[in-house]
Amino acid sequence: MVKLIGKSKISCAVFISGRGTNLKSILKFSKKNTSKINIKLVISNRRNAHGLVFAKKNKINFKTISYKNIKKAEIQILKHLKKNKIKFIFLAGFMKILSKNFIKKFKNKIINIHPSLLPKYKGLNTYKRAINNREKFSGCTVHFVSEKLDSGKIILQKKVRIFKFDTAESLANRILLQENKLYPKAINKVLSKI
Ligand code: GAR
């Protein structure tokens, strides 16, 4: 196996809005010698996002960006991405929609994780909708971000069984465990082709 260190790794950013368990798992993965990524920047649209503790603990540069004005927010974000020479962006529970213009600038370089088996249940409240529709399975999907919400090319998916006793919360917790494993695998899959 090839060992990658320091500058030979690809500079990446993770965007978050909250808890940050996916950020945590991506950070852990990035530290492996065989991983091609170096997380250089964390962007949060919320100053009190819990996930920022993982950026702090790992001494990763982080920026909180106010989204009162989307245009201004994206201009600021682009400035930070340029400064840190970011090549890939991983959305990890980032609950803001990126503009078409922004997505064009990072074509096929933005990856997202979504808590459903896309193309089913795009958008919000995925767990409740799957349970209400009496689905036998839900799960999670890692996909490229395209201009249409939750519709970009799928990289990897993981199925999770829905049980009769499941609530939105219990299902969300089980899916999250799979998300945390799936995201690094999907990143690896994309970057192994580069
Ligand atoms: C995850 O379940 C992720 O799939 C979801 O937000 C959660 C973030 O958890 N993302 C979306 O719903 C995006 N549409 P985390 O902050 O612990 O990574």
Side-chain angles (χ1 to χ4, degrees):
M1 272 191 196
V2 188
K3 275 193 179 180
L4 292 163
I5 35 169
K7 283 184 178 168
S8 57
K9 290 202 177 197
I10 300 165
S11 298
C12 303
V14 182
F15 289 16
I16 63 166
S17 296
R19 187 176 46 188
T21 64
N22 283 298
L23 166 64
K24 189 180 174 196
S25 85
I26 293 170
L27 282 170
K28 190 173 167 204
F29 164 71
S30 73
K31 286 185 183 152
K32 293 188 175 173
N33 284 332
T34 49
S35 127
K36 279 191 173 183
I37 60 166
N38 181 17
I39 304 301
K40 283 192 76 182
L41 180 66
V42 173
I43 296 280
S44 170
N45 64 301
R46 286 184 44 228
R47 200 178 292 195
N48 59 352
H50 175 262
L52 290 173
V53 302
F54 303 118
K56 287 175 198 164
K57 262 189 201 161
N58 288 277
K59 300 194 169 61
I60 310 280
N61 186 13
F62 66 89
K63 300 285 171 206
T64 54
I65 305 288
S66 159
Y67 251 75
K68 270 185 194 155
N69 177 318
I70 296 178
K71 257 194 175 171
K72 280 187 186 165
E74 289 195 345
I75 289 171
Q76 263 188 293
I77 293 174
L78 284 167
K79 190 183 80 188
H80 294 302
L81 295 176
K82 195 170 175 192
K83 199 172 162 196
N84 288 279
K85 299 189 170 66
I86 299 300
K87 301 284 184 278
F88 269 87
I89 297 167
F90 308 128
L91 307 183
F94 184 64
M95 302 313 272
K96 294 288 175 188
I97 294 174
L98 296 168
S99 72
K100 288 185 175 144
N101 212 17
F102 187 102
I103 294 168
K104 262 189 205 154
K105 287 195 165 73
F106 279 84
K107 198 163 185 267
N108 293 326
K109 300 285 187 285
I110 309 176
I111 292 172
N112 182 42
I113 189 153
H114 183 76
S116 78
L117 293 175
L118 290 173
K120 281 190 165 180
Y121 308 111
K122 297 171 184 175
L124 299 174
N125 300 320
T126 57
Y127 319 105
K128 205 162 180 239
R129 287 191 283 146
I131 291 171
N132 289 349
N133 281 346
R134 298 178 194 282
E135 298 278 6
K136 286 211 163 65
F137 292 96
S138 186
C140 47
T141 304
V142 180
H143 65 96
F144 286 105
V145 171
S146 68
E147 290 176 10
K148 235 174 126 194
L149 184 72
D150 297 332
S151 301
K153 191 172 173 233
I154 291 170
I155 302 162
L156 281 181
Q157 287 188 309
K158 179 75 185 176
K159 265 188 182 179
V160 173
R161 181 90 167 90
I162 300 180
F163 297 109
K164 284 217 170 77
F165 54 78
D166 262 322
T167 60
E169 198 187 353
S170 65
L171 179 59
N173 289 337
R174 271 204 327 287
I175 291 178
L176 188 66
L177 293 176
Q178 298 305 324
E179 288 188 34
N180 296 163
K181 291 183 199 164
L182 192 70
Y183 215 156
K185 278 188 196 161
I187 292 171
N188 213 17
K189 185 177 172 192
V190 170
L191 296 186
S192 67
K193 289 175 186 158
I194 288 180

